[in-house]
Amino acid sequence: MEKWNLMAVVVLLGLTVRWTVSLNSYSGAGKPPMFGDYEAQRHWQEITFNLPVKQCAKFINPDWIALHSSRGYESQAHKLFMRTTVLIADLLIYIPAVILYCCCLKEISTKKKIANVLCILLYPGLILIDYGHFQYNSVSLGFALWGVLGVSCDWDLLGSLAFCLAINYKQMELYHSLPFFCFLLGKCFKKGLKGEGFVLLIKLSCTVVASFILCWLPFFTEREQTMQVLRRLFPVDRGLFEDKVANIWCSVSIFLKIKDILPRHIQIIISFCFTFLSLLPACIKLTLKPSPRGFRFTLVSCALSFFLFSFQVHEKSILLVSLPVCLVLSEIPFMSTWFLLVSTFSMLPLLLKDELLIPSVVTTMAFFIACATSFSIFEKTSEEELQLKSFSISVRKYLPCFTFLPRIIQYLFLTSVFTMVLLTLITVTLEPPQKLPDLFSVLVCFLSCLNFLFFLVYFNIIIMWDSKNGRNPKKTN
């Protein structure tokens, strides 16, 4: 009973933080003609009702979704409605998945499970984007987490169904699709494709096809309508990257204007090749040796590869990497906390544009304090705790003096945090040079990209050297 009372307090705290952030400004508030993501979500309600596929929003207040005339609509009642829907989505989909996932963690105490829930629910990136900037990322991420739970617990059909819902809700869940595919395919291989494995493969195929048909059925009434949806799902005309995003293409563009030099189709080919090659080793390993632990780390690696190298990336897409990092928070608390801090910092230009500086600072500090006290992260920096023991042993066969890796990582962490704090202070207190108005935003993206490249190498080392030989992993049942 005490455990559940404490869990209820943690959830209530998470909800309170979310609702408090939602009381601030939001993306594009009172800024015509583009407005922002708040208007984008309202606009989808508008066209969903007035065009062929109808929803029930009109029965609450028709003025909110009146075709054309509701453009840029803002009222206190509508803001309350929109904010409440985000909170309800969290309560119904995301938060239950987080609680169940943490409860299924083995080899850690009940208090650590509750601490894990607290830290995940306090992750500032998702709170600031969904409740400040205003989006519904918790829906797709929640369904994806239910999918992770399902396939990790051998409820493969239910897990596949949940992930299909995630990917049909938001196409950016493609970042997670290859690990799901490789993990399930590996399970089929392991069971034998001439027996149980083949039956499982057929069941999974039928589940995926049926799920997609049901989700797309309303759009199949007219061919043009179907094509419109597909064009909106993959807007290649919007370019290699959007705004200031902490990936490799935006960073390279500081020195080499790729968008201006190369034709669009060449950009697509290059980004595809880099993305595919960077995630290939982890996916092959997962297919050949499927395990829940390997699945979680491959989710991190693949999502990060997509974010760094793929075509048409938004700064908010880093949330798709942050979710699987949250899932390994109890296994590598030091590195996970570091990554989640960087992921929030990488969205600083967007958060400042939405006037979310104070909520950003407060939620980031709350998250860092929760992680530092719950997991004693500064004590978890040995080779074993960093899950680098197998890698270090391999290197020491050729370089016996290779004992300084944990110390290097500690120095890198301190350097990273110091530069993030310094750059944040410079950005909010100083004006950039007139000739370089985007200087601070570009520096934020470039610094974050360097951090993410380091993390990509780190997570791939864990996957390829399989550090469970050096430490007993915390498993998901």
Side-chain angles (χ1 to χ4, degrees):
M1 182 61 70
E2 182 183 352
K3 175 182 74 172
W4 292 111
N5 288 339
L6 190 56
M7 186 73 78
V9 171
V10 166
V11 172
L12 184 60
L13 177 60
L15 292 175
T16 302
V17 172
R18 283 162 161 73
W19 191 252
T20 303
V21 171
S22 74
L23 299 176
N24 288 270
S25 180
Y26 53 83
S27 170
K31 297 177 182 176
M34 294 299 291
F35 297 101
D37 273 4
Y38 180 93
E39 165 61 15
Q41 308 301 326
R42 189 214 57 77
H43 180 61
W44 278 116
Q45 295 174 7
E46 173 191 342
I47 62 174
T48 299
F49 178 82
N50 290 285
L51 297 179
V53 183
K54 296 188 177 182
Q55 301 290 345
C56 61
K58 183 176 182 179
F59 298 105
I60 301 175
N61 189 331
D63 292 338
W64 295 352
I65 54 169
L67 190 60
H68 304 308
S69 63
S70 62
R71 172 73 170 167
Y73 186 95
E74 293 179 352
S75 72
Q76 290 302 319
H78 188 250
K79 291 174 187 176
L80 179 62
F81 168 77
M82 295 285 277
R83 297 298 194 187
T84 305
T85 56
V86 178
L87 193 66
I88 291 173
D90 251 359
L91 278 169
L92 293 179
I93 302 172
Y94 183 72
I95 293 177
V98 169
I99 293 172
L100 185 57
Y101 175 84
C102 294
C103 287
C104 289
L105 288 173
K106 287 193 169 183
E107 298 184 9
I108 63 174
S109 66
T110 300
K111 286 187 177 181
K112 287 294 183 184
K113 292 178 181 179
I114 294 173
N116 215 40
V117 173
L118 175 64
C119 293
I120 294 176
L121 292 185
L122 287 181
Y123 168 56
L126 182 59
I127 295 174
L128 293 166
I129 294 301
D130 273 16
Y131 290 86
H133 179 78
F134 195 87
Q135 284 190 341
Y136 291 91
N137 291 288
S138 60
V139 177
S140 58
L141 294 177
F143 279 131
L145 184 47
W146 282 111
V148 171
L149 270 167
V151 299
S152 298
C153 298
D154 290 328
W155 305 330
D156 296 327
L157 300 185
L158 290 175
S160 300
L161 173 61
F163 184 67
C164 286
L165 293 176
I167 207 170
N168 278 287
Y169 182 84
K170 194 163 189 175
Q171 76 275 23
M172 300 309 293
E173 279 296 329
L174 286 168
Y175 281 37
H176 299 145
S177 58
L178 276 176
F180 270 90
F181 174 79
C182 293
F183 185 41
L184 291 171
L185 184 63
K187 281 188 174 186
C188 294
F189 286 151
K190 198 171 183 180
K191 290 176 181 289
L193 286 180
K194 293 183 179 180
E196 292 183 17
F198 180 74
V199 174
L200 177 59
L201 183 62
I202 296 298
K203 288 181 178 178
L204 290 169
S205 302
C206 292
T207 300
V208 172
V209 171
S211 302
F212 270 78
I213 289 175
L214 287 174
C215 290
W216 281 77
L217 199 58
F219 302 102
F220 286 151
T221 54
E222 298 177 15
R223 182 180 180 277
E224 180 55 31
Q225 183 171 261
T226 305
M227 297 308 298
Q228 281 280 1
V229 175
L230 289 174
R231 281 192 288 269
R232 289 178 181 273
L233 284 176
F234 304 104
V236 293
D237 292 336
R238 293 168 71 174
L240 185 59
F241 55 87
E242 189 133 338
D243 211 354
K244 300 296 182 294
V245 56
N247 76 347
I248 195 70
W249 307 124
C250 184
S251 299
V252 169
S253 292
I254 300 172
F255 313 102
L256 186 67
K257 303 299 180 185
I258 301 176
K259 282 185 172 183
D260 301 331
I261 297 174
L262 299 176
R264 181 70 49 79
H265 70 282
I266 299 296
Q267 295 175 29
I268 294 174
I269 293 171
I270 291 175
S271 62
F272 171 81
C273 291
F274 270 86
T275 306
F276 179 74
L277 292 174
S278 64
L279 56 79
L280 186 61
C283 287
I284 292 175
K285 179 75 177 289
L286 181 62
T287 306
L288 297 176
K289 296 183 178 180
S291 69
R293 177 180 176 281
F295 174 51
R296 292 194 297 275
F297 279 101
T298 305
L299 279 170
V300 177
S301 173
C302 287
L304 190 51
S305 292
F306 269 99
F307 178 81
L308 284 170
F309 301 113
S310 65
F311 190 88
Q312 231 301 296
V313 175
H314 296 252
E315 62 271 73
K316 301 179 288 291
S317 300
I318 195 61
L319 298 179
L320 293 156
V321 191
S322 300
L323 173 69
V325 172
C326 286
L327 303 187
V328 298
L329 183 59
S330 62
E331 299 180 57
I332 44 170
F334 179 80
M335 298 300 288
S336 297
T337 302
W338 181 8
F339 178 91
L340 295 171
L341 290 173
V342 176
S343 70
T344 304
F345 170 76
S346 72
M347 298 184 285
L348 181 64
L350 175 67
L351 298 174
L352 292 179
K353 188 187 299 183
D354 294 337
E355 300 176 7
L356 292 169
L357 174 62
I358 294 177
S360 300
V361 173
V362 173
T363 53
T364 300
M365 289 300 298
F367 170 76
F368 178 70
I369 292 170
C371 291
T373 54
S374 300
F375 295 104
S376 304
I377 60 173
F378 296 111
E379 299 173 9
K380 304 290 180 68
T381 56
S382 65
E383 287 182 352
E384 198 169 357
E385 296 287 351
L386 294 172
Q387 301 205 14
L388 293 173
K389 190 171 183 179
S390 297
F391 170 73
S392 298
I393 290 172
S394 299
V395 175
R396 279 197 287 270
K397 291 178 181 178
Y398 308 97
L399 190 64
C401 62
F402 188 74
T403 58
F404 45 80
L405 187 55
R407 195 176 305 114
I408 289 176
I409 289 177
Q410 291 173 34
Y411 288 145
L412 288 174
F413 169 78
L414 293 174
T415 304
S416 174
V417 171
F418 175 77
T419 51
M420 287 191 291
V421 172
L422 180 62
L423 194 48
T424 300
L425 291 173
I426 291 174
T427 302
V428 300
T429 57
L430 300 179
E431 289 291 329
Q434 289 186 351
K435 293 183 178 180
L436 300 169
D438 295 329
L439 175 62
F440 299 151
S441 297
V442 168
L443 288 176
V444 168
C445 295
F446 184 73
L447 173 63
S448 302
C449 181
L450 291 179
N451 278 269
F452 292 145
L453 286 170
F454 164 74
F455 282 113
L456 181 65
V457 173
Y458 169 76
F459 284 112
N460 273 284
I461 286 174
I462 290 182
I463 292 167
M464 301 312 295
W465 267 265
D466 198 3
S467 59
K468 67 182 180 181
N469 292 326
R471 178 187 180 187
N472 292 326
K474 297 171 178 63
K475 302 176 183 176
T476 301
N477 186 0

